Amino acid sequence: MNVHEMRVNLGVTQSEFAARYNIPFRTVQNWEAGVRQPPEYMVSLLEDRIRTDLVNRRTASLPKYNPGKRDLPKRCDYVGAISWLQAVRACIGENIVFALDEALMCQGSFGGHSDEFIVWVYGSDSVSRFNGVVVLGNQISAYNVKEKNGLRYTNFNRTIADALANESILDMQGITEAISKYYYRNGNSFEGIFVAPEYQERFDRLADEAIEYYEY
């Protein structure tokens, strides 16, 4: 793929493409216009990154209960979130990475709900044979994954990015609570949190909500 094809496949503008991959806007324009040619190593790096981004698309809708699918262990049957997630992981029996609210539970930033039904993961499409499982993507970089208590989950920055990407269908209570805890535990600071440029404005609004979260 050339740069124009990569950008069109992603469905973003030149400015969004430039911001996403930290490339000067004028450089992207020159590449697409044929004024200059990107180095071969740059094309290769972009192709690898974009293939991953194309696989890990945003989720369009949440699954409804399907009697033809297998059920996961119920959250209400377990005292703690970690024990429930360990049971879910054992039931699925595949090498999954927990994401979004489940990642926050792994991190100790959110306790979840007793009637939890949706389980967000990165993994193979085959895990969709279980009720409530939402596969965010088939691939995720090891740099974005942490492991604890026998569970693999997205790190905090990737969890925030996934939340902002899927905000239209996501209950943001968990992420708001987690960001609030981060802020107060980090000396009233968001230092260490990084978001993609296209999400910065939305994160700033979310950060304001998070600061006020424990004031009510």
Side-chain angles (χ1 to χ4, degrees):
M1 290 189 291
N2 59 38
V3 172
H4 175 73
E5 291 171 333
M6 295 179 197
R7 181 177 65 77
V8 170
N9 283 337
L10 278 172
V12 296
T13 65
Q14 287 183 336
S15 60
E16 289 171 336
F17 186 90
R20 176 183 288 270
Y21 299 111
N22 197 28
I23 302 169
F25 173 67
R26 181 64 66 183
T27 299
V28 173
Q29 282 187 316
N30 288 339
W31 285 349
E32 291 201 17
V35 176
R36 294 182 180 177
Q37 294 297 319
E40 289 187 10
Y41 79 88
M42 176 63 73
V43 174
S44 179
L45 288 173
L46 279 173
E47 283 185 337
D48 285 344
R49 173 71 184 275
I50 287 167
R51 284 195 187 98
T52 298
D53 286 350
L54 285 171
V55 169
N56 297 331
R57 292 188 175 95
R58 300 176 185 181
T59 301
S61 61
L62 296 178
K64 296 181 179 179
Y65 185 81
N66 183 343
K69 292 186 176 184
R70 295 177 58 186
D71 292 337
L72 290 171
K74 295 181 179 179
R75 173 68 178 89
C76 60
D77 291 338
Y78 294 82
V79 174
I82 297 301
S83 60
W84 172 61
L85 292 172
Q86 289 171 334
V88 169
R89 167 67 180 81
C91 182
I92 290 176
E94 295 186 22
N95 191 23
I96 57 172
V97 175
F98 287 112
L100 293 173
D101 282 358
E102 282 63 47
L104 296 177
M105 294 179 202
C106 291
Q107 297 162 15
S109 300
F110 180 55
H113 307 283
S114 61
D115 59 347
E116 207 80 51
F117 173 68
I118 300 299
V119 176
W120 306 86
V121 303
Y122 282 92
S124 69
D125 290 334
S126 65
V127 301
S128 295
R129 67 187 184 276
F130 292 95
N131 268 308
V133 174
V134 181
V135 179
L136 282 184
N138 302 131
Q139 302 172 8
I140 185 169
S141 170
Y143 292 107
N144 293 319
V145 177
K146 289 186 172 294
E147 185 169 353
K148 187 178 181 181
N149 297 314
L151 303 171
R152 300 175 70 231
Y153 54 95
T154 56
N155 63 26
F156 197 57
N157 278 317
R158 181 54 183 256
T159 304
I160 292 173
D162 285 341
L164 294 173
N166 293 280
E167 184 177 7
S168 62
I169 60 170
L170 180 67
D171 178 350
M172 294 295 283
Q173 178 188 346
I175 195 69
T176 304
E177 181 177 321
I179 292 174
S180 182
K181 286 182 178 179
Y182 182 99
Y183 176 78
Y184 288 109
R185 289 173 179 173
N186 200 41
N188 294 359
S189 171
F190 292 115
E191 184 176 356
I193 294 180
F194 304 97
V195 297
E198 62 264 38
Y199 297 135
Q200 187 62 57
E201 183 178 350
R202 177 63 191 107
F203 174 77
D204 290 342
R205 294 198 300 270
L206 185 61
D208 289 339
E209 295 170 13
I211 291 173
E212 299 175 354
Y213 186 80
Y214 283 108
E215 294 180 1
Y216 295 98

